[in-house]
Short mmCIF file of all heavy atoms in Angstrom, two decimals:
data_model
loop_
_atom_site.label_atom_id
_atom_site.label_comp_id
_atom_site.label_asym_id
_atom_site.label_seq_id
_atom_site.Cartn_x
_atom_site.Cartn_y
_atom_site.Cartn_z
N GLU C 217 -12.64 8.65 -62.22
CA GLU C 217 -12.39 9.92 -61.54
C GLU C 217 -13.50 10.21 -60.55
O GLU C 217 -14.67 9.95 -60.82
CB GLU C 217 -12.28 11.05 -62.56
CG GLU C 217 -11.07 10.95 -63.45
CD GLU C 217 -10.94 12.12 -64.41
OE1 GLU C 217 -11.82 13.00 -64.44
OE2 GLU C 217 -9.94 12.14 -65.13
N HIS C 218 -13.11 10.77 -59.41
CA HIS C 218 -14.06 11.15 -58.36
C HIS C 218 -13.77 12.58 -57.94
O HIS C 218 -12.63 13.03 -57.99
CB HIS C 218 -13.93 10.23 -57.15
CG HIS C 218 -14.11 8.79 -57.47
ND1 HIS C 218 -15.35 8.23 -57.66
CD2 HIS C 218 -13.22 7.79 -57.65
CE1 HIS C 218 -15.21 6.95 -57.94
NE2 HIS C 218 -13.92 6.66 -57.95
N THR C 219 -14.79 13.28 -57.49
CA THR C 219 -14.63 14.64 -57.00
C THR C 219 -14.69 14.63 -55.48
O THR C 219 -15.60 14.04 -54.90
CB THR C 219 -15.75 15.54 -57.54
OG1 THR C 219 -15.72 15.49 -58.96
CG2 THR C 219 -15.56 16.98 -57.09
N VAL C 220 -13.71 15.27 -54.86
CA VAL C 220 -13.67 15.40 -53.40
C VAL C 220 -13.62 16.90 -53.10
O VAL C 220 -12.79 17.61 -53.64
CB VAL C 220 -12.44 14.70 -52.80
CG1 VAL C 220 -12.39 14.90 -51.29
CG2 VAL C 220 -12.44 13.23 -53.15
N GLU C 221 -14.51 17.35 -52.24
CA GLU C 221 -14.54 18.76 -51.87
C GLU C 221 -14.39 18.88 -50.36
O GLU C 221 -15.02 18.14 -49.61
CB GLU C 221 -15.85 19.39 -52.32
CG GLU C 221 -15.88 20.88 -52.14
CD GLU C 221 -17.11 21.51 -52.78
OE1 GLU C 221 -17.90 20.80 -53.41
OE2 GLU C 221 -17.25 22.73 -52.64
N GLY C 222 -13.55 19.79 -49.93
CA GLY C 222 -13.35 20.00 -48.51
C GLY C 222 -12.17 20.90 -48.22
O GLY C 222 -11.54 21.43 -49.14
N ARG C 223 -11.87 21.09 -46.94
CA ARG C 223 -10.74 21.91 -46.52
C ARG C 223 -9.51 21.02 -46.34
O ARG C 223 -9.60 19.94 -45.79
CB ARG C 223 -11.06 22.60 -45.21
CG ARG C 223 -12.00 23.76 -45.38
CD ARG C 223 -12.09 24.57 -44.09
NE ARG C 223 -12.74 25.83 -44.30
CZ ARG C 223 -14.04 25.99 -44.54
NH1 ARG C 223 -14.81 24.93 -44.62
NH2 ARG C 223 -14.55 27.18 -44.71
N ILE C 224 -8.39 21.52 -46.79
CA ILE C 224 -7.14 20.78 -46.64
C ILE C 224 -6.59 21.07 -45.26
O ILE C 224 -6.33 22.22 -44.90
CB ILE C 224 -6.14 21.18 -47.73
CG1 ILE C 224 -6.72 20.83 -49.09
CG2 ILE C 224 -4.81 20.48 -47.51
CD1 ILE C 224 -5.90 21.29 -50.24
N LEU C 225 -6.41 20.03 -44.47
CA LEU C 225 -5.89 20.18 -43.12
C LEU C 225 -4.38 20.16 -43.08
O LEU C 225 -3.76 20.94 -42.37
CB LEU C 225 -6.44 19.07 -42.21
CG LEU C 225 -7.96 19.02 -42.05
CD1 LEU C 225 -8.35 17.85 -41.19
CD2 LEU C 225 -8.47 20.32 -41.47
N SER C 226 -3.78 19.23 -43.84
CA SER C 226 -2.32 19.12 -43.79
C SER C 226 -1.80 18.34 -44.98
O SER C 226 -2.55 17.68 -45.69
CB SER C 226 -1.88 18.43 -42.50
OG SER C 226 -2.35 17.09 -42.48
N TYR C 227 -0.49 18.45 -45.14
CA TYR C 227 0.22 17.64 -46.13
C TYR C 227 1.11 16.69 -45.36
O TYR C 227 1.87 17.10 -44.50
CB TYR C 227 1.06 18.53 -47.05
CG TYR C 227 2.01 17.73 -47.92
CD1 TYR C 227 1.53 16.99 -48.98
CD2 TYR C 227 3.37 17.71 -47.67
CE1 TYR C 227 2.38 16.25 -49.79
CE2 TYR C 227 4.23 16.97 -48.46
CZ TYR C 227 3.73 16.25 -49.52
OH TYR C 227 4.58 15.51 -50.30
N ARG C 228 1.00 15.41 -45.65
CA ARG C 228 1.81 14.40 -44.97
C ARG C 228 2.93 13.95 -45.91
O ARG C 228 2.68 13.25 -46.88
CB ARG C 228 0.96 13.22 -44.54
CG ARG C 228 -0.12 13.62 -43.55
CD ARG C 228 -0.90 12.42 -43.09
NE ARG C 228 -1.88 12.81 -42.12
CZ ARG C 228 -1.71 12.70 -40.80
NH1 ARG C 228 -0.60 12.20 -40.33
NH2 ARG C 228 -2.65 13.09 -39.99
N SER C 229 4.14 14.38 -45.59
CA SER C 229 5.27 14.09 -46.47
C SER C 229 5.66 12.61 -46.46
O SER C 229 6.13 12.10 -47.47
CB SER C 229 6.47 14.96 -46.10
OG SER C 229 6.84 14.73 -44.76
N GLU C 230 5.47 11.93 -45.34
CA GLU C 230 5.85 10.51 -45.28
C GLU C 230 5.01 9.65 -46.21
O GLU C 230 5.49 8.65 -46.73
CB GLU C 230 5.82 9.97 -43.84
CG GLU C 230 4.45 9.93 -43.20
CD GLU C 230 4.04 11.22 -42.50
OE1 GLU C 230 4.81 12.19 -42.53
OE2 GLU C 230 2.94 11.25 -41.93
N THR C 231 3.76 10.01 -46.43
CA THR C 231 2.90 9.26 -47.34
C THR C 231 2.62 10.03 -48.64
O THR C 231 1.91 9.52 -49.50
CB THR C 231 1.55 8.93 -46.68
OG1 THR C 231 0.91 10.16 -46.29
CG2 THR C 231 1.73 8.03 -45.48
N ARG C 232 3.16 11.24 -48.74
CA ARG C 232 2.92 12.12 -49.90
C ARG C 232 1.43 12.22 -50.19
O ARG C 232 0.96 11.90 -51.28
CB ARG C 232 3.69 11.66 -51.12
CG ARG C 232 5.18 11.79 -51.01
CD ARG C 232 5.91 11.47 -52.30
NE ARG C 232 5.26 11.94 -53.52
CZ ARG C 232 5.43 13.14 -54.09
NH1 ARG C 232 6.25 14.01 -53.55
NH2 ARG C 232 4.80 13.46 -55.20
N SER C 233 0.68 12.65 -49.17
CA SER C 233 -0.77 12.76 -49.33
C SER C 233 -1.30 14.00 -48.62
O SER C 233 -0.66 14.54 -47.72
CB SER C 233 -1.45 11.51 -48.77
OG SER C 233 -1.20 11.39 -47.39
N LEU C 234 -2.48 14.43 -49.07
CA LEU C 234 -3.18 15.55 -48.44
C LEU C 234 -4.24 14.99 -47.52
O LEU C 234 -4.92 14.02 -47.85
CB LEU C 234 -3.87 16.41 -49.50
CG LEU C 234 -2.98 17.15 -50.48
CD1 LEU C 234 -3.86 17.83 -51.53
CD2 LEU C 234 -2.12 18.16 -49.78
N GLN C 235 -4.40 15.63 -46.37
CA GLN C 235 -5.49 15.25 -45.47
C GLN C 235 -6.58 16.29 -45.65
O GLN C 235 -6.35 17.49 -45.45
CB GLN C 235 -5.03 15.19 -44.03
CG GLN C 235 -6.10 14.67 -43.11
CD GLN C 235 -5.59 14.48 -41.70
OE1 GLN C 235 -4.62 15.08 -41.30
NE2 GLN C 235 -6.28 13.66 -40.95
N ILE C 236 -7.77 15.84 -46.04
CA ILE C 236 -8.90 16.72 -46.34
C ILE C 236 -10.05 16.41 -45.40
O ILE C 236 -10.32 15.25 -45.08
CB ILE C 236 -9.34 16.54 -47.80
CG1 ILE C 236 -8.22 17.00 -48.71
CG2 ILE C 236 -10.62 17.29 -48.09
CD1 ILE C 236 -8.55 16.91 -50.17
N HIS C 237 -10.72 17.47 -44.96
CA HIS C 237 -11.86 17.32 -44.05
C HIS C 237 -13.10 17.90 -44.74
O HIS C 237 -13.07 19.00 -45.27
CB HIS C 237 -11.59 18.06 -42.74
CG HIS C 237 -12.75 18.03 -41.81
ND1 HIS C 237 -13.11 16.90 -41.11
CD2 HIS C 237 -13.64 18.98 -41.47
CE1 HIS C 237 -14.17 17.16 -40.37
NE2 HIS C 237 -14.51 18.43 -40.57
N ASN C 238 -14.19 17.12 -44.73
CA ASN C 238 -15.48 17.63 -45.19
C ASN C 238 -16.58 17.04 -44.31
O ASN C 238 -16.28 16.46 -43.26
CB ASN C 238 -15.70 17.33 -46.69
CG ASN C 238 -15.70 15.86 -47.02
OD1 ASN C 238 -15.89 15.01 -46.16
ND2 ASN C 238 -15.50 15.54 -48.28
N GLU C 239 -17.83 17.18 -44.73
CA GLU C 239 -18.94 16.74 -43.87
C GLU C 239 -18.98 15.24 -43.64
O GLU C 239 -19.64 14.76 -42.73
CB GLU C 239 -20.28 17.23 -44.43
CG GLU C 239 -20.64 16.69 -45.78
CD GLU C 239 -20.25 17.62 -46.93
OE1 GLU C 239 -19.47 18.54 -46.72
OE2 GLU C 239 -20.74 17.38 -48.04
N TRP C 240 -18.28 14.44 -44.46
CA TRP C 240 -18.27 12.99 -44.29
C TRP C 240 -17.09 12.50 -43.47
O TRP C 240 -16.98 11.31 -43.20
CB TRP C 240 -18.27 12.29 -45.64
CG TRP C 240 -19.55 12.51 -46.38
CD1 TRP C 240 -20.77 12.01 -46.08
CD2 TRP C 240 -19.72 13.30 -47.54
NE1 TRP C 240 -21.70 12.45 -46.97
CE2 TRP C 240 -21.08 13.25 -47.89
CE3 TRP C 240 -18.87 14.07 -48.32
CZ2 TRP C 240 -21.60 13.92 -48.98
CZ3 TRP C 240 -19.39 14.74 -49.41
CH2 TRP C 240 -20.75 14.65 -49.72
N GLY C 241 -16.19 13.38 -43.10
CA GLY C 241 -15.05 12.97 -42.30
C GLY C 241 -13.73 13.45 -42.88
O GLY C 241 -13.68 14.42 -43.62
N ARG C 242 -12.67 12.73 -42.51
CA ARG C 242 -11.32 13.07 -42.98
C ARG C 242 -10.85 12.02 -43.97
O ARG C 242 -11.05 10.83 -43.76
CB ARG C 242 -10.35 13.14 -41.82
CG ARG C 242 -10.63 14.29 -40.91
CD ARG C 242 -9.62 14.37 -39.82
NE ARG C 242 -9.97 15.48 -38.94
CZ ARG C 242 -9.15 16.04 -38.11
NH1 ARG C 242 -7.92 15.58 -37.99
NH2 ARG C 242 -9.53 17.05 -37.37
N PHE C 243 -10.19 12.51 -45.02
CA PHE C 243 -9.69 11.63 -46.06
C PHE C 243 -8.24 11.94 -46.34
O PHE C 243 -7.80 13.07 -46.21
CB PHE C 243 -10.47 11.82 -47.37
CG PHE C 243 -11.93 11.58 -47.23
CD1 PHE C 243 -12.81 12.63 -47.00
CD2 PHE C 243 -12.45 10.30 -47.33
CE1 PHE C 243 -14.16 12.42 -46.87
CE2 PHE C 243 -13.80 10.08 -47.21
CZ PHE C 243 -14.66 11.14 -46.97
N GLN C 244 -7.50 10.93 -46.75
CA GLN C 244 -6.14 11.14 -47.22
C GLN C 244 -6.12 10.85 -48.71
O GLN C 244 -6.55 9.77 -49.15
CB GLN C 244 -5.15 10.24 -46.49
CG GLN C 244 -4.90 10.72 -45.08
CD GLN C 244 -3.63 10.11 -44.52
OE1 GLN C 244 -2.80 9.61 -45.23
NE2 GLN C 244 -3.52 10.19 -43.21
N ILE C 245 -5.64 11.81 -49.48
CA ILE C 245 -5.58 11.67 -50.93
C ILE C 245 -4.13 11.69 -51.36
O ILE C 245 -3.43 12.69 -51.13
CB ILE C 245 -6.35 12.81 -51.62
CG1 ILE C 245 -7.82 12.76 -51.21
CG2 ILE C 245 -6.19 12.72 -53.13
CD1 ILE C 245 -8.63 13.90 -51.73
#
């Protein structure tokens, strides 16, 4: 398990993932 903290930018339905932005960049979870 890992902890990711940041603001959620969007939900991508085609990949069923959240796009999160924090100080290290953008991530898709």
Side-chain angles (χ1 to χ4, degrees):
E217 293 183 357
H218 304 281
T219 303
V220 178
E221 187 171 358
R223 285 190 167 71
I224 298 174
L225 300 177
S226 65
Y227 169 73
R228 298 183 178 261
S229 58
E230 65 273 2
T231 58
R232 292 186 39 89
S233 62
L234 295 175
Q235 186 174 22
I236 295 182
H237 176 74
N238 61 19
E239 63 265 15
W240 293 291
R242 292 183 182 198
F243 302 95
Q244 286 198 17
I245 298 175

